[in-house]
Amino acid sequence: MRKVTPIIQTLICYLFIILFIYTAVSKLIDFENFQIQLAQSPLLSVYAEFIVYTIIISIGIVIALLLLVSKRTLQQ
């Protein structure tokens, strides 16, 4: 069981990396639609331009990179 646990942790980490990269890429591919949908929100319409870029860059790409970097440093 002790040998299986690190494999499961690594697998889960890589699945999260794939998930965050997929969401960032899908938002970049359909950028105009994503921006329009955020602009239609009554609470976010004022900040829609800022939030669109923040979500794509910080939440999608940066978190995936941080997961990748932290996983590689833990393996060493």
Side-chain angles (χ1 to χ4, degrees), residues 3-74:
K3 293 181 181 181
V4 176
T5 304
I7 294 171
I8 292 173
Q9 290 174 347
T10 303
L11 178 66
I12 290 171
C13 186
Y14 285 135
L15 288 175
F16 273 121
I17 291 169
I18 291 169
L19 175 71
F20 282 114
I21 290 175
Y22 168 76
T23 56
V25 169
S26 70
K27 288 182 187 346
L28 283 172
I29 290 172
D30 199 14
F31 183 76
E32 289 182 26
N33 189 27
F34 179 57
Q35 191 172 13
I36 290 168
Q37 287 176 351
L38 273 179
Q40 291 175 350
S41 170
L43 296 174
L44 303 175
S45 62
V46 178
Y47 307 107
E49 183 86 17
F50 174 73
I51 291 174
V52 167
Y53 293 108
T54 304
I55 287 174
I56 292 173
I57 293 171
S58 68
I59 295 177
I61 299 169
V62 172
I63 290 178
L65 289 174
L66 288 173
L67 282 170
L68 187 64
V69 169
S70 68
K71 188 62 187 165
R72 288 189 180 193
T73 57
L74 289 175

